[in-house]
Amino acid sequence: MSKISYVVPIYNEEENIPKLVQEILAVAPDISDDYEIFLVDDCSTDKGLELIRNLAEQNQKIRPLALARNSGQSAALSAGFQAATGEVIITMDADLQNDPADLRQMINHYGDYDMVNGWRFDRQDTLSKKIASKIGNGFRNWITKETIHDTGCSLKIMNAAILKRIHIYKGLHRFLPTLMRMEGARIIEVKVNHRQRQFGESKYTNWRRGVEGFYDVIAVRWMQQRYLKIEVKEEQL
Ligand code: UDP
Ligand code: MG
């Protein structure tokens, strides 16, 4: 199996970090013995970075990456993608809502597909968030002519070479399946477990997510329509 780079964006998740790392370390050897874990600190104001540094001292697979200022989830992910040395990149949230154990079944689809996207079919979130997410996914699918149930699920396995071709802008982490598809990726959705957030709090309000998402979906539609599919017929080198 290829080398895996785990990339986790982290902003004020100090209570979640020890268990998160424990859960990733428990599943990682079943996916591949060759791996690295990028814990990307998005300039947390809690003790998160200190914790990450301590964990990295105990385990060489853990690679701290700290942003100079709070730059948002997309930026934290993008920094991790650029630093990743694996052929496969796996992402998840730091809040323990995703269950890394799901990777054991998700990885079975990798190879036949270039992207395996989690689908939180039984979401453990507030009703308002579930409704907002349904509307968000529906709107995104309608405008981008997609059929993805859950673009917002952070648990994803992706081909690193394809992913690295995408220039990630703020907010675009919500459109990774569409952006990967534009680059030619074959995508499958796999139902995954979803847990309630026990510690820390969500960094978004439904309103903020909605407004940003509305603006971003127009940009992504534009990108789809303007995508250059160039086929060279003849070339003299
Ligand atoms: N996050 C981040 N920077 C931010 C906001 C969020 O790195 O400015 C991280 C956060 O710590 C978490 C992930 O991005 O690991 C998703 O955030 P959150 O769980 O708050 O979003 P939700 O799941 O509620 O949509
Ligand atoms: Mg979350």
Side-chain angles (χ1 to χ4, degrees):
M1 186 62 193
S2 334
K3 179 169 184 180
I4 313 278
S5 302
Y6 295 84
V7 176
V8 190
I10 300 177
Y11 182 61
N12 291 349
E13 307 278 5
E14 61 181 353
E15 290 141 303
N16 292 312
I17 293 171
K19 182 135 186 267
L20 168 81
V21 169
Q22 205 183 338
E23 289 192 355
I24 299 175
L25 290 174
V27 72
D30 294 344
I31 310 295
S32 170
D33 282 328
D34 195 7
Y35 67 94
E36 59 189 0
I37 304 171
F38 280 99
L39 300 177
V40 189
D41 176 59
D42 190 11
C43 210
S44 297
T45 54
D46 63 7
K47 296 248 154 48
L49 182 56
E50 230 174 284
L51 249 168
I52 293 169
R53 286 195 194 115
N54 289 342
L55 287 161
E57 266 174 33
Q58 292 159 31
N59 189 328
Q60 299 243 307
K61 302 263 195 204
I62 298 172
R63 311 277 306 273
L65 204 152
L67 303 190
R69 63 193 78 83
N70 180 236
S71 311
Q73 191 176 344
S74 284
L77 283 167
S78 182
F81 298 163
Q82 301 316 314
T85 61
E87 291 87 49
V88 181
I89 293 180
I90 294 182
T91 59
M92 71 187 79
D93 278 359
D95 56 9
L96 299 173
Q97 287 199 266
N98 297 131
D99 184 353
D102 283 317
L103 291 170
R104 290 196 183 95
Q105 44 132 350
M106 288 172 79
I107 200 72
N108 292 329
H109 300 277
Y110 188 78
D112 290 339
Y113 295 90
D114 308 297
M115 175 173 197
V116 186
N117 204 82
W119 169 11
R120 301 162 292 179
F121 71 106
D122 183 18
R123 275 185 78 158
Q124 301 300 313
D125 278 319
T126 57
L127 182 65
S128 67
K129 191 165 179 178
K130 284 196 265 197
I131 294 171
S133 169
K134 263 230 150 30
I135 297 171
N137 277 307
F139 187 67
R140 276 196 286 263
N141 280 330
W142 179 48
I143 302 287
T144 59
K145 312 217 174 333
E146 278 281 7
T147 53
I148 303 281
H149 293 90
D150 191 11
T151 52
C153 181
S154 301
L155 195 59
K156 299 177 195 292
I157 304 177
M158 291 170 281
N159 176 296
I162 301 179
L163 181 59
K164 285 180 184 187
R165 291 210 290 266
I166 300 170
H167 193 99
I168 312 272
Y169 289 82
K170 191 172 183 178
L172 289 194
H173 65 273
R174 298 192 185 95
F175 295 88
L176 282 175
T178 301
L179 298 168
M180 287 286 285
R181 207 193 297 281
M182 279 162 59
E183 295 294 335
R186 298 157 300 169
I187 300 170
I188 188 171
E189 285 188 280
V190 172
K191 288 183 181 174
V192 295
N193 188 13
H194 193 239
R195 307 179 290 196
Q196 264 177 12
R197 201 188 234 282
Q198 274 188 293
F199 305 108
E201 41 194 49
S202 172
K203 311 298 180 293
Y204 306 98
T205 60
N206 287 332
W207 175 251
R208 182 180 153 199
R209 206 188 276 107
V211 171
E212 284 183 6
F214 179 78
Y215 189 56
D216 297 342
V217 79
I218 295 172
V220 173
R221 182 71 197 135
W222 180 88
M223 285 185 205
Q224 284 179 309
Q225 287 176 321
R226 295 295 205 209
Y227 191 84
L228 287 172
K229 280 208 175 80
I230 303 164
E231 277 179 60
V232 176
K233 195 175 79 181
E234 215 174 295
E235 186 181 23
Q236 202 153 39
L237 294 172

